[in-house]
Amino acid sequence: MKNHELDYRRYVIGGVAALIVVVYIIRLFTLQITSDDYKKSADSNAFLKKIEYPSRGIITDRNGKLLVFNQPAYDIMVVMNEIKGRLDTLELCEVLNISRQDFDNRMATIKDRNKNPGYSRYTQQIFMSQLSEEDFSIFQEKMFRFPGFYIQRRSIRQYHYPFAAHVLGDVAEVSPADIEEDDYYQPGDYIGKLGVERSYEKQLRGEKGIQILLRDAHGRVQGRYQNGKFDRRPVAGKNLTLGLDANLQALGERLMEGKIGSIVAIEPSTGEILCMVSSPSYDPRMMVGRQRSKSHRLLSQNVWKPLLNRSIMGQYPPGSTFKTTQGLTFMTEGIIHPTQTSYPCGHGFNFRGLHVGCHGHASPLPLVPALSTSCNGYFCWGLYHMINTHLSKYGTVQNAMNTWRDYMVSMGFGYRLGVDLPGEKRGLIPNAQFYDKAYKGSWNGLTIISIAIGQGEVNATPLQIANLGATIANRGWFITPHVVKKIQGEPLDTLYTKKRYTMANRAAYDYVVQGMRASATGGTCHELSRYDFMACGKTGTAQNRGHDHSVFMGFAPMDNPKIAVAVYVENGGWGATYGVPIGGLLMEQYIHGKLSEASEAKAASLQERHISYGTTSR
């Protein structure tokens, strides 16, 4: 009788033997074909692949003034596989002026694949970065005593002036997320973190080179492999020319000392940003080298938030500067006639028990003097009539509201403009759905009347307010504001060269320009009348839970405009208190290239006037 139990055992033993053979085959395949461990080991014994870092592109202002450049720095690199117990750790620590604990921590960080995902014991890893010339010289003399340690020549950024930190940004060591996102980088590399350094990182960084060196059996470098046949030279980064005027930027930062807020100036014909001030600011040279981490931590803990670029991240009520958009909309939509439509203002808008206050002035008024005197009543009446009394044109208050919204969006509000800096905010322009949700469908023009004067739910960035000035200066179009004027050997993105037209018509813009000019000659911006160029302006006094914000938007000259400016000073009071005088000085500096003696005295006075903000975190 056949023994089935023996047959079963034979099959089991045969299966186990077959499985063992398969496992060995797979392992051999992995070691010889798939895994590159042995190849790396062999290559590391024969070759030293040395990365050559390119020079980062330099940055200049519109007039060729050097803003950002490079200076030499040195990193210490280590190849773990070459140490092999031959390292005098105590002597190395003494030469580098570090503790044994610091040495152990650095080594542990290098080997930690969570912090250093590209780790390999056969390739160079960064041990210490950005040595000074003095430390480099000391280490270089004794480097032969420390097998596996090498010097890598690098460069670090240097900022020529103590201003424009928010625009220029800074450079720091890559994070694991940066490495994961772009395989160009490896641990120890540098990358732009903020400002232009971040948004134009790929143009500025260049391309790395590589030098392959041949080593003997003792690991000593014998020269270039095949006379450098397989070497690749680094390609320098591209230089950038900014639209910034360094002198204008310096003046703007002077004038904003001791104040919280922003200045943005734009060249209307090109959309180039001439200056961008966010206050409080900081010296960009604080963020260079090994002190960057400490400086960044101190700045991030500062209650006044100096790292915040208020020019593109601050979202504020635009105040009465927004009345220009209302005049443009109402006239284009036929809600008002610029000379035949006058509205009353009995110290404000008064209707059905609702009162929106205003300062004393002549009444009733048509469009141009309404802009000149910054009449609240006029623009409240205009919005009320558009939303409530033109239902034969729009059908519903919702349609009227969304038409209004479309005009605002076409003028650059409610969405990011697309400036070439990271972190831009969109502000807020409400639509019908917003109010339907807020008021459960029961609302009308009176409910939302405050948006007519740039209050209520409306929010804008200083950049958007400056862009409004540029759009009015151009009589109905703008080019997306941008910081970079020119990239070496590369065209600008078409976003920064194409005109964007608004929904308002040319005739409406002509009347609004007249109103802004009248404001400068005898209205709320009358201080501008002292200049020898024809300035146009519009003040704003944006209501706030504390003191009102001082706002100004304007441009000059009236015809063939060269500069549009927005000034926003938190808790500065009336627009004429800070906004107008600061805006006027910026215009004079740019148009004439300098300030007159009287204007310089005015600038010094404004510089010394600090606003008390208490200790509340901003």
Side-chain angles (χ1 to χ4, degrees):
M1 184 176 179
K2 187 174 182 179
N3 191 335
H4 294 287
E5 185 177 346
L6 292 176
D7 287 344
Y8 175 74
R9 290 178 180 176
R10 185 166 59 247
Y11 290 141
V12 170
I13 293 171
V16 170
L19 180 61
I20 293 172
V21 171
V22 169
V23 168
Y24 272 102
I25 291 173
I26 291 173
R27 180 58 180 159
L28 287 171
F29 177 82
T30 301
L31 290 174
Q32 297 183 34
I33 307 298
T34 305
S35 174
D36 59 355
D37 283 355
Y38 289 106
K39 182 178 184 299
K40 282 183 178 179
S41 179
D43 284 350
S44 69
N45 290 330
F47 304 114
L48 174 63
K49 294 181 179 179
K50 187 177 180 181
I51 299 293
E52 292 190 302
Y53 290 91
S55 296
R56 197 169 174 88
I58 63 171
I59 303 175
T60 59
D61 86 336
R62 66 188 300 109
N63 299 311
K65 283 190 174 182
L66 188 63
L67 300 176
V68 187
F69 58 97
N70 303 306
Q71 66 179 22
Y74 305 90
D75 294 345
I76 296 179
M77 313 298 290
V78 61
V79 179
M80 294 294 193
N81 197 53
E82 296 179 12
I83 297 176
K84 296 178 181 176
R86 296 179 291 162
L87 180 64
D88 188 335
T89 305
L90 293 179
E91 184 180 10
L92 176 66
C93 291
E94 184 179 340
V95 170
L96 295 178
N97 194 28
I98 61 175
S99 66
R100 176 58 189 264
Q101 182 63 46
D102 193 11
F103 172 87
D104 291 339
N105 290 341
R106 289 171 184 268
M107 285 299 203
T109 299
I110 290 172
K111 295 175 183 178
D112 186 339
R113 292 188 182 272
N114 290 323
K115 297 179 180 179
N116 185 15
Y119 170 70
S120 169
R121 66 181 185 276
Y122 302 114
T123 60
Q124 290 189 356
Q125 306 291 316
I126 189 163
F127 177 80
M128 181 180 288
S129 63
Q130 300 182 6
L131 267 69
S132 66
E133 288 275 3
E134 181 181 357
D135 291 340
F136 160 71
S137 298
I138 294 172
F139 180 76
Q140 188 180 37
E141 290 179 3
K142 300 182 179 181
M143 188 173 65
F144 69 94
R145 299 183 184 179
F146 312 119
F149 284 82
Y150 301 89
I151 286 176
Q152 174 73 64
R153 189 179 188 279
R154 300 285 291 270
S155 63
I156 59 173
R157 294 303 245 179
Q158 189 56 263
Y159 300 87
H160 199 270
Y161 298 104
F163 52 71
H166 295 98
V167 176
L168 299 175
D170 65 288
V171 173
E173 204 168 311
V174 292
S175 66
D178 294 323
I179 297 170
E180 185 176 344
E181 185 177 327
D182 189 339
D183 59 9
Y184 172 87
Y185 301 104
Q186 60 186 33
D189 284 355
Y190 301 120
I191 189 172
K193 290 292 184 180
L194 296 169
V196 169
E197 295 276 22
R198 181 69 179 185
S199 50
Y200 287 87
E201 164 66 15
K202 289 187 177 179
Q203 288 86 354
L204 287 166
R205 74 188 184 189
E207 293 294 332
K208 297 174 189 171
I210 189 168
Q211 198 177 97
I212 304 175
L213 304 175
L214 190 63
R215 299 194 288 197
D216 63 17
H218 300 286
R220 294 172 296 199
V221 174
Q222 299 300 301
R224 292 190 174 185
Y225 176 61
Q226 292 196 14
N227 294 319
K229 179 180 178 181
F230 298 100
D231 291 355
R232 185 174 69 249
R233 295 182 62 83
V235 178
K238 296 177 179 179
N239 299 331
L240 299 182
T241 301
L242 305 189
L244 288 189
D245 181 300
N247 293 333
L248 194 68
Q249 182 74 24
L251 174 62
E253 299 211 8
R254 273 182 59 201
L255 297 175
M256 289 298 291
E257 285 185 16
K259 308 167 188 71
I260 295 176
S262 170
I263 299 173
V264 179
I266 297 173
E267 184 178 60
S269 62
T270 63
E272 292 166 9
I273 294 174
L274 302 172
C275 88
M276 179 179 281
V277 177
S278 179
S279 180
S281 186
Y282 58 94
D283 187 337
R285 294 173 295 190
M286 294 172 58
M287 306 294 272
V288 172
R290 292 160 69 180
Q291 66 176 343
R292 182 189 183 277
S293 295
K294 180 180 178 181
S295 297
H296 188 275
R297 184 172 62 256
L298 291 174
L299 290 170
S300 65
Q301 293 170 350
N302 189 313
V303 296
W304 305 115
K305 301 180 181 179
L307 290 174
L308 177 69
N309 185 353
R310 289 171 167 82
S311 299
I312 62 173
M313 297 176 180
Q315 300 177 91
Y316 303 101
S320 293
T321 62
F322 204 60
K323 291 172 183 173
T324 56
T325 67
Q326 304 309 287
L328 292 165
T329 302
F330 302 155
M331 184 175 167
T332 303
E333 282 294 289
I335 307 301
I336 63 171
H337 186 282
T339 59
Q340 297 175 13
T341 302
S342 294
Y343 290 126
C345 182
H347 286 278
F349 173 78
N350 299 283
F351 187 63
R352 294 181 182 175
L354 178 64
H355 174 72
V356 179
C358 188
H359 57 279
H361 57 74
S363 174
L365 294 173
L367 178 61
V368 169
L371 284 168
S372 172
T373 60
S374 197
C375 173
N376 284 346
Y378 185 94
F379 297 98
C380 287
W381 278 113
L383 183 74
Y384 171 74
H385 285 305
M386 180 173 180
I387 302 297
N388 273 44
T389 66
H390 281 67
L391 296 186
S392 60
K393 179 181 177 71
Y394 302 112
T396 65
V397 294
Q398 283 82 3
N399 289 340
M401 182 68 211
N402 285 338
T403 299
W404 179 91
R405 183 274 318 272
D406 291 343
Y407 272 86
M408 300 307 106
V409 171
S410 77
M411 295 177 197
F413 294 97
Y415 292 90
R416 297 180 185 92
L417 281 166
V419 68
D420 52 346
L421 290 173
E424 182 189 6
K425 301 299 183 183
R426 61 181 291 175
L428 175 63
I429 294 295
N431 58 17
Q433 290 73 24
F434 178 94
Y435 287 123
D436 282 343
K437 182 177 181 180
Y439 297 105
K440 296 179 172 54
S442 179
W443 60 275
N444 59 40
L446 293 178
T447 315
I448 63 171
I449 201 70
S450 59
I451 66 174
I453 56 174
Q455 298 287 165
E457 294 73 30
V458 171
N459 274 328
T461 65
L463 177 67
Q464 290 171 333
I465 300 172
N467 187 64
L468 172 62
T471 305
I472 297 171
N474 291 331
R475 278 61 166 180
W477 59 267
F478 66 93
I479 294 174
T480 301
H482 52 284
V483 171
V484 171
K485 178 184 178 73
K486 182 181 178 182
I487 307 171
Q488 179 186 14
E490 181 180 322
L492 286 179
D493 191 305
T494 55
L495 177 65
Y496 306 125
T497 60
K498 288 186 177 180
K499 294 180 179 179
R500 296 166 61 177
Y501 289 88
T502 76
M503 293 172 63
N505 61 38
R506 172 60 189 256
Y509 276 101
D510 288 338
Y511 277 101
V512 167
V513 169
Q514 289 180 38
M516 292 177 67
R517 178 57 186 160
S519 179
T521 56
T524 57
C525 297
H526 60 87
E527 185 174 329
L528 297 179
S529 63
R530 73 183 186 87
Y531 295 106
D532 60 358
F533 48 83
M534 296 178 69
C536 300
K538 182 71 196 74
T539 54
T541 304
Q543 294 178 5
N544 182 46
R545 284 170 294 184
H547 294 291
D548 293 341
H549 302 318
S550 179
V551 194
F552 169 77
M553 178 270 292
F555 61 91
M558 184 172 76
D559 300 312
N560 192 26
K562 303 296 183 186
I563 180 173
V565 184
V567 181
Y568 210 106
V569 179
E570 292 189 25
N571 305 152
W574 296 101
T577 304
Y578 286 103
V580 175
I582 290 175
L585 291 171
L586 268 288
M587 291 175 178
E588 181 184 7
Q589 171 67 43
Y590 187 69
I591 291 173
H592 292 321
K594 62 179 182 179
L595 296 180
S596 67
E597 187 174 335
S599 292
E600 184 56 52
K602 182 74 172 177
S605 174
L606 284 166
Q607 183 179 357
E608 293 171 1
R609 287 164 58 185
H610 293 191
I611 299 174
S612 176
Y613 293 97
T615 57
T616 303
S617 176
R618 305 297 303 177

